[in-house]
């Protein structure tokens, strides 16, 4: 049994705990919060046996095997390093760290210590994404990909009122790129590998964080387009264009409706088929299952870590190009 401690008491941590409850061989044993009162209340809410307000003692107690880091993005690297130093496996909520060098350092430290460091990117482990990968050979050479994730944040109303909520605080690595843009970036890099170059642009809001943006990822024989926003809404489907046909995807974070359209060629008529992929309501279960398998030594975490590094490098290129 993999015994997990959670860091963070937000809704995403609650969702993580719900996913853990659906996966065999792993459980949440303790909640960490700097506030003992808040930690106890959160532990009661998710059904964890206890809470702690001393992270250093918890990591070195020998009573946990892994930690889920669901704190603000800017705190991820230091908390993960503390856990690795204590010989504890680390599950990082996305984005793993604000920078690629920080994550590379964590990977090296984890390998030296004999533990796993892992970023939870729920869409790449979803069965819908596996179905997309299965359909790719049917559309021929892929030439253009357009993925996006735009979701208006209620916390943007706080920004408009002059406040700086965590999710839009640049000092905490907040903003639309880190919160939403990493989903289409991860999907693109998961399916097609690391790009040869990345350029992009973002819209800066009053807090100094990015509220929306877009990027172009260049490959030797295709182009990927990524868009993201927390200050607007999009109803546009995601699309992969090949020379023989097109794949259309409803939701990049949890692909469920996937359509394949093939053009007429070689005397064969064109066709259109639509798939409905069944998946868990809380699709964090798939990343939790992957993490548990890695901790048990059933798979090599290197491909997961390399994808995370490629995504973080793409994020840096987008931020660097404006």
């Amino acid at each position: 049994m993999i015994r997990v401690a959670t860091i963070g008491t937000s809704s995403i941590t609650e969702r993580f705990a719900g996913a853990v409850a659906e996966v065999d061989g792993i459980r949440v044993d303790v909640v960490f919060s700097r506030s003992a009162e808040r930690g106890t209340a959160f532990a009661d809410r998710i059904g964890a046996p206890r809470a702690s307000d001393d992270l250093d003692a918890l990591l070195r107690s020998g009573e946990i095997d892994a930690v889920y880091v669901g704190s603000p993005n800017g705190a991820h690297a230091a908390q993960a390093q503390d856990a690795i130093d204590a010989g504890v496996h680390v599950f990082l909520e996305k984005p793993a760290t604000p920078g690629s060098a920080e994550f590379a350092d964590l990977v090296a430290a984890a390998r030296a210590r004999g533990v796993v460091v892992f970023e939870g990117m729920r869409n790449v482990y979803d069965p819908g994404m596996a179905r997309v990968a299965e359909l790719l050979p049917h559309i021929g050479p892929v030439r253009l990909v357009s993925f996006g994730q735009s979701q208006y944040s209620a916390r943007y109303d706080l920004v408009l009122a002059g406040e700086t909520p965590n999710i839009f605080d640049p000092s905490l690595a907040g903003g639309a790129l880190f919160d939403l843009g990493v989903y289409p970036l991860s999907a693109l890099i998961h399916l097609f590998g690391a790009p040869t170059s990345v350029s992009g642009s973002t819209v800066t809001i009053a807090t100094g964080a990015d509220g929306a943006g877009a990027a172009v990822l260049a490959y030797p024989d295709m182009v990927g387009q990524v868009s993201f926003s927390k200050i607007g809404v999009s109803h546009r489907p995601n699309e992969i264009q090949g020379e023989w046909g097109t794949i259309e995807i409803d939701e990049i974070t949890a692909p469920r409706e996937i359509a394949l359209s093939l053009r007429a060629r070689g005397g064969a008529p064109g066709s259109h088929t639509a798939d409905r992929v069944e998946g868990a309501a809380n699709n964090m279960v798939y990343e939790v299952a992957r993490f548990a398998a890695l901790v048990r030594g059933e798979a090599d975490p290197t491909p997961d870590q390399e994808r995370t590094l490629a995504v973080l490098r793409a994020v840096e290129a987008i931020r660097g190009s404006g």
Side-chain angles (χ1 to χ4, degrees):
M1 179 61 68
I2 301 167
R3 303 164 298 171
V4 180
T6 62
I7 300 176
T9 55
S10 67
S11 60
I12 191 63
T13 305
E14 187 170 357
R15 189 173 181 183
F16 168 81
V20 168
E22 297 185 48
V23 178
D24 292 336
I26 185 169
R27 71 185 184 217
V28 174
D29 267 11
V30 57
V31 165
F32 166 76
S33 174
R34 289 174 297 177
S35 163
E37 182 179 359
R38 186 167 59 247
T40 299
F42 189 75
D44 290 343
R45 188 158 74 249
I46 67 171
R50 65 188 181 94
S52 170
D53 60 358
D54 188 335
L55 183 57
D56 185 66
L58 176 61
L59 293 173
R60 287 161 176 75
S61 67
E63 297 175 355
I64 61 168
D65 305 299
V67 63
Y68 167 80
V69 181
S71 52
N73 300 336
H76 285 190
Q79 291 174 338
Q81 186 63 62
D82 288 345
I84 291 167
D85 289 344
V88 173
H89 302 283
V90 179
F91 185 122
L92 287 159
E93 183 53 54
K94 61 80 187 166
T97 55
S100 62
E102 292 172 302
F103 187 68
D105 288 345
L106 292 178
V107 169
R111 288 175 182 167
R113 196 67 174 82
V115 296
V116 171
V117 61
F118 170 86
E119 178 192 49
M121 186 60 64
R122 58 192 174 95
N123 60 341
V124 302
Y125 302 104
D126 191 278
M129 197 62 68
R131 180 58 179 153
V132 171
E134 290 174 358
L135 292 175
L136 285 177
H138 294 276
I139 63 172
V142 174
R143 300 307 187 194
L144 182 63
V145 179
S146 181
F147 289 166
Q149 180 69 10
S150 296
Q151 181 178 326
Y152 187 87
S153 172
R155 294 176 191 173
Y156 184 54
D157 294 340
L158 299 177
V159 175
L160 296 176
E163 300 180 34
T164 304
N166 287 352
I167 199 66
F168 287 117
D169 187 342
S171 70
L172 298 176
L177 178 54
F178 278 132
D179 192 48
L180 295 183
V182 289
Y183 284 120
L185 283 171
S186 292
L188 186 62
I189 290 171
H190 170 70
L191 292 171
F192 302 103
T196 56
S197 66
V198 180
S199 60
S201 186
T202 58
V203 176
T204 303
I205 60 174
T207 64
D210 61 282
V216 173
L217 283 70
Y219 291 80
D221 53 4
M222 62 165 267
V223 173
Q225 302 169 327
V226 166
S227 60
F228 49 91
S229 177
K230 288 183 70 66
I231 57 176
V233 177
S234 173
H235 303 289
R236 184 180 61 186
N238 300 277
E239 192 175 72
I240 303 172
Q241 296 179 21
E243 291 186 2
W244 307 340
T246 300
I247 299 170
E248 194 173 280
I249 307 162
D250 61 341
E251 175 58 58
I252 206 63
T253 59
R256 292 294 172 263
E257 303 290 341
I258 303 169
L260 172 65
S261 298
L262 299 178
R263 67 175 179 81
R265 70 185 186 94
S271 65
H272 178 86
T273 57
D275 281 357
R276 169 68 188 177
V277 177
E278 297 302 325
N282 179 357
N283 73 336
M284 288 181 76
V285 298
Y286 305 113
E287 61 187 58
V288 170
R290 175 64 175 177
F291 177 68
L294 294 176
V295 170
R296 290 192 295 263
E298 297 170 1
D300 181 3
T302 301
D304 308 72
Q305 294 163 344
E306 289 180 345
R307 186 203 66 248
T308 296
L309 280 168
V311 171
L312 292 174
R313 291 177 183 131
V315 167
E316 290 169 338
I318 295 166
R319 289 165 61 86
S321 58

